[in-house]
Amino acid sequence: MQKPKKERGKQNQIVPLVTVSEGIEKVSERRNRTIRPMHFVDEEFNGKQLWESVEGYIAKAYDTETLKHTYVHGGGEKWIEKGLNAFKRTKHIIDGYHYQKELDRICKRFSKRNVRTVITTAITNDDKHKVDHFLHTLMEARRKKMWRQRKVLEHIC
């Protein structure tokens, strides 16, 4: 779908798409099916307008007072983070695609640290503390390395 009056040659256009569902059901060992999906796309590429449509649908289709949680899956984009702020008990969760993308980026940056195995095992074991501690350790090591590189540059210049 092209944005109206899109500049020629402009790439990576974000298409605001929201799917509301009642969860997932297991179809087989490696496949799930979305329960009652409803898709929303805003042709004007206006995230605020899109979320208003989604909120209106949810308010009409469900008793919002009895909803236990409302999950918003995404990759952390601003228009996604702003979604469903009007609802109580909204949880923002990174989706599988963006999780893999970020994990790949971290693995490339720390290639000698066995990152994928440590993080995947900790997440499988539902050990958020281990993931947080490991990522903090990686960031601290990166910060120290950058500090050492700056010191060397200061001595050269």
Side-chain angles (χ1 to χ4, degrees), residues 113-124 130-131 134:
R113 292 292 194 103
N114 206 17
V115 172
R116 187 175 308 280
T117 302
V118 173
I119 292 177
T120 304
T121 302
I123 289 174
T124 302
K130 185 172 186 173
V131 174
F134 184 67

Side-chain angles (χ1 to χ4, degrees), residues 83-99:
L84 301 183
N85 287 332
F87 291 100
K88 300 173 188 169
R89 300 176 297 275
T90 298
K91 292 186 176 185
H92 291 269
I93 301 171
I94 191 166
D95 60 39
Y97 168 78
H98 289 95
Y99 164 75

